[in-house]
Structures are given as structure tokens and as C-alpha cells.
Amino acid sequence: MDHLTLKALTPSEYTEAADGYRAISASADAAMDRIDKQITAAMRKANEGEAADAALKQLRKLSENFHYTHVECGLITGALDGFSSEITAPKRRLTEALDDAAALAYTVNEDGTVTYPAGGKNELTGESIPGGKVMGNNGLITGNDTGFQAPGLMPNNPQFKNPNPHHAKAVDIADRIAHAVREAQEIDGRYSKALNKLKAAPGLNVDTKTWADVASDVDAVSSAASKYLQDHIPLAKSPADRKEWWDSLSNEEREEYKAAFPEIIGNLDGIPSTVRDEANRENIHLLIAQLEGQPGEASKEKLEGLKGIQAKLNAGSQPPMFLLGIGLEGNGRAIVAYGNPDTSKNVSAYVPGLGTKLDSGFADGTVKRAFYTAQGAQKFDPSSSAIVWLGYDAPQSLDVMTTVDAERGAPAYNSFMSGISATNENADPHVTAIGHSYGSRLVGAATQEAGGIAGADDIVLVGSPGVGVDRAEDLGVGKEHVWVGAAENDIVTKLPSSKEATAGTMGFFGGGPLGAYLAGDLADQGDDDVWFGKDPASKAFGANRFQTLPGPELAQPSFPEVWNSTLDIEAHSNYFSPEEGKDKVSARNIAAIVAGQPGYVVRETPR
């Protein structure tokens, strides 16, 4: 890339090439869809036996080839459009500099230097001061034999001033040319590197290794196009602004963003749920391929979690499942909804707590809680959706004793909830924020952010060790809209306050268990304080306490054991499950609250 190449370059040609790849991508997607939904279905219905099985196998292979073509051509489309957009600015700056040179009758040479004519008058001789040649960006001055030739002396050095009036203008033009070329070289280098990765091997066989390579291609294109994305996607704006931006795009532009940048569109608050779901179903496929065969327990756990979610997506469900977020950062990210959050009149978003991460337990356990809540709520009102939001790193062990994870996660939760408000199609949807265990502390932190939890009408806290405030009315929805479930045998809801724990530990070493008890009681008198503040189930807190089953009794554990994520406190885990032996009373009450039917909630006297 030099100034002659940049001068000859036509950005629109790259846009036209992108249009061509976009058309190929769309055709491949349509072909894959026809194979999967029409031809394969008809084949299964009409044929049986080895021949039919062999044909179906070939159809699956052909479908994967079309799928691969769709994704890779989508990536090429994004790269070409990104290059065309970014290269336009240095191209424009070069053109303006060349036009200015032509207007002044300066010569721009092949090497980018600028030759300027004689001008001004030498006061000693009365002759014109000779012209010269300058190189942009502090290059050497040449072509002047009147005492002003100074190799190594920079044109912009304040110690040197060429008396030829053309000199300064020529330096300015040469600098602008060099700057434009340097910027174009950087852009060209980024996109060339990304595009060079987008090549299929001869004799294409789409397998796990191929998809892992595709995942690498996605990262390469996203990295190359980072500046383009910042300029074209309102990443730093509100979810409402992003929704407005998405609505303003053409269908072709939307398809390009989904195909080229699924990891961004799928996790962007303010993008419609069906779009996020489509992008994330594509992205989870790539993330699984990326993790296949990777060493390390963390990678294996995330892989199990991704595969578990994908299996549920493939199996289908009623209510239907939507994948609203997926990622590998930290302990993993996953946001799953049952029922469409954009069309439902009632929407809840539940934050899990201690020990939760993207693993097999998340897919088989945590996700089910949202499923049960959606099913239960739809019995009260069919227009209901329930979400599990793992958009933060939940504490895994003794870090649960601090508020750090909750405070870090609260802004992301509020952004997600703002997105729900922005994309919901109902005039005034009923929105419920749910926090379980440590997740209730995050919900509490979210209420204390500027503006509180966007759109929240009700807050449900279950198995809570405190939320960081001492009164229900401080959560921003009115105390009559704060609901608390605390099973009798859930020891997490009876944790000592931090003052009690500290004083009790000191008392234990100084006077045995009795000393620990007395020291703790003196340090924090009363029975309505828990670890993170006032007990949400207490009368002093002032919330609505709803009925739960007591849950299995548990022998009193030591204080450190309560914070150990491996401790199985069954009463602490049953709130959402209507299954036999769990807590159908709590599950029904949560469902009624989510559906906006408080009259069906069975209440319980606060502690």
C-alpha cells in the first residue's frame, strides 16, 4: 500500500464484492434450510432401511457444507464491508491533499515526496529562493543548494525555517499524504490478515476441526473489524439506542451482522430476542468446536455446559427456549429464556448464586428453574416468560463472603433488564427481578445503581443471606412489591451477621461455644440480621414473606461449611421446583408473582 495504490483504490468495488459474498451466504443458508426442513423430513417419512440411512447421512454432510459456506461467506462479507468503510477516510484525506498540491502546481512524486517551485526573494542577492522536495512526516529536506539543504534537520524543527513560502505548504501536503498512506497500510494489514484466514482446504470435509477453524476465523474478523464495529454498532450506548439502531437497518445489513459477528449481536442488550437467539445458536456451535479437545478442567466444564444447553435447544420445549447470551469469559456466561421475552406481558429474570457456573450442573439444574417458573407462570397467564441470567462470575467458595462479585455483576444485570424493556412489544410489561442465594445480593446491588433495575415491578428474594439494604422500601419498587421466600431449614437465610461471626470466632477461642454465642450476641443484638444486612424474611425488613415448605432438616454445620459451595443444603435449592419432594408451594407462589397475580400468593408471617 502506497499513495499510488490508495489513489487508484475504489472502496465501492469492495462493497460490491461484499454484496456478492452476501448473496452466496444467503443462498447457502436457504439451501441448508431446505435440506434440513424439507428434503430430510420427507426422506425420513417416505423411506426406511440402509439406503435411506445412507442418503440421510449424505444429506447431513451436504447440509454442513452449506452451513460452512453460509458462515464463511458471511465473514468475508463483514470483512469486505469493514475494509471498504474504514479505507474511505484515508482515501478521502489523500484525495484532498493531492487536489491541494495540484492547485498549487506542486508535483507529487511516485515515492510520495512533494516538489515545490522557487518562491520569495533572497535579500542578499535579490534572486528567487530555489524550490525543493520534501518528504512527509518529518522526512529530510532535499533539492536546495542555497545554504538551506540540511540533511538530518527536520522540516518542523523550530530552529529551522525555510524562507521559501512554498516550503511550509509543501510540508503540510506531504505530511497529509504520508499520514493517509500510513493509516491505509494499517487498515489494509488488519483486513488482509483476516481475509487470508478465510480459505477452505481442498476436498472440503466439514468436521469438528473445521468448525474450530471457523471459530478462529470469527475472532480474526471481529478483531480486524474492531474499529468498524465501534463506528457502526452503538456498543457504548444504551439498549434503547441499540434497539433503535437495529430497527433502522435493512434486512441485508441485519443478516450481515448476524453472520459476520454472531458473538457480538447475540450478546448485545437491546437486540430483539429472536435475533439474539439465532446468533447465539450459531455461536454456541462455534464455541463447542473451539473447546473440543482443549486441556484443563475449566475448558471441559464449559464444554459440558455448552453441550447441555445445545441438547436442550435441539430437543425443543414448551414453552420454547431462547438463548439470549453465551460466552466463555470468566466461569462462563449463559442467558436462557423460556417463552419469548419480547412478546410476553410478564417477564422475569432470575440471578443464581453461589457455585453457579457454565457446566453440566447449569444446563441440567439451574436452567430447569427458569423452565419451571415459566411453566408455572403460564398457568396463571399464558403470556409469561422466565429467564435465568448467568451474566456474571458467581462466587465459587469463600469469595461469597464479600460483595465484590455482586457489585461487579450489577451493571451488567441492569443493562440486560434495560434491554428487556427496550425490546418488549407490550406497552407496559410486568417485569420481575429474582435473586436466589448470593444472586439476591446482586439484585440488591442492582437496585442501588442509578435508576435502579429498569422496568422492574416486583422483586423476589429466595434463600437470601441479605441484599445490602435494611428495608424493603429501599429496593425501589415499593415494599408491597418485594417478596421473600425463606424455608425453615434453609440455613443460608439464618447466617450470622458479619459482626456476630467475627465476635463469635473471637469468643470461641476465648471461652468455648458459649463464649462464641455470647460474644456474637453482644456484638450484634437481635435476631433479624444476617450476613449482608437485615434478614429479608424479618418483620424489620418489611417485605411480603410467602409460604414455602420447610425442606429437609440439616445438622447444624460449622460457619465455614455454610460458605463451602460443595455443601448440599437441599432446603436452599428447592424454591423453584414443583417436583415431588421439592417445594411446589414456593414454586407456585413465585409463578403467581411472575405472572402478576399476587392474589394467588400464599403468605407467611415474617420472622
Side-chain angles (χ1 to χ4, degrees), residues 227-487:
K227 292 183 180 179
Y228 169 75
L229 294 174
Q230 290 171 7
D231 290 341
H232 288 75
I233 299 179
L235 298 174
K237 293 192 176 182
S238 70
D241 290 330
R242 295 169 188 160
K243 174 63 165 55
E244 184 178 351
W245 165 77
W246 185 260
D247 289 344
S248 72
L249 299 176
S250 67
N251 289 333
E252 291 78 12
E253 289 171 324
R254 293 173 188 166
E255 289 301 319
E256 176 186 329
Y257 282 117
K258 284 190 296 182
F261 312 109
E263 79 287 6
I264 295 174
I265 298 302
N267 292 290
L268 197 60
D269 299 326
I271 301 300
S273 294
T274 54
V275 176
R276 291 179 71 162
D277 177 64
E278 184 180 348
N280 286 321
R281 285 175 187 251
E282 186 66 67
N283 197 32
I284 194 173
H285 184 66
L286 301 177
L287 294 177
I288 288 173
Q290 184 178 329
L291 289 179
E292 286 282 7
Q294 280 196 10
E297 190 60 30
S299 294
K300 292 177 182 177
E301 285 185 341
K302 290 175 183 177
L303 181 60
E304 289 177 0
L306 292 172
K307 286 184 174 180
I309 293 172
Q310 189 179 57
K312 290 181 180 297
L313 289 168
N314 293 339
S317 63
Q318 190 55 46
M321 183 177 176
F322 294 82
L323 186 58
L324 304 182
I326 199 72
L328 301 180
E329 55 267 39
N331 292 324
R333 301 286 186 266
I335 307 172
V336 176
Y338 284 97
N340 189 336
D342 293 350
T343 59
S344 296
K345 295 178 182 177
N346 307 293
V347 182
S348 68
Y350 139 64
V351 184
L354 173 65
T356 310
K357 55 185 173 180
L358 183 59
D359 58 6
S360 60
F362 179 80
D364 293 336
T366 310
V367 169
K368 277 187 178 179
R369 294 172 181 170
F371 174 71
Y372 289 141
T373 299
Q375 270 196 333
Q378 289 191 0
K379 291 177 182 178
F380 291 102
D381 186 343
S383 184
S384 298
S385 170
I387 301 165
V388 55
W389 182 86
L390 183 61
Y392 81 119
D393 276 334
Q396 300 299 305
S397 186
L398 292 180
D399 51 339
V400 75
M401 298 170 67
T402 75
T403 63
V404 172
D405 292 326
E407 290 168 354
R408 285 177 179 170
Y413 182 69
N414 279 340
S415 174
F416 177 76
M417 297 298 274
S418 294
I420 291 296
S421 296
T423 59
N424 192 280
E425 299 170 6
N426 297 284
D428 186 21
H430 174 251
V431 177
T432 304
I434 304 176
H436 174 228
S437 186
Y438 187 86
S440 67
R441 183 63 184 86
L442 186 148
V443 168
T447 66
Q448 302 308 296
E449 295 265 316
I453 301 175
D457 299 289
D458 287 281
I459 291 176
V460 175
L461 310 168
V462 288
S464 176
V467 295
V469 300
D470 289 335
R471 299 180 303 174
E473 60 196 65
D474 293 334
L475 294 178
V477 295
K479 65 180 183 179
E480 67 277 8
H481 290 285
V482 179
W483 305 84
V484 178

Side-chain angles (χ1 to χ4, degrees), residues 78-100:
L80 290 172
D81 272 340
F83 176 77
S84 176
S85 175
E86 286 196 53
I87 205 70
T88 297
K91 163 81 174 178
R92 183 185 67 253
R93 283 191 277 274
L94 174 67
T95 300
E96 291 171 350
L98 294 177
D99 288 345
D100 288 348

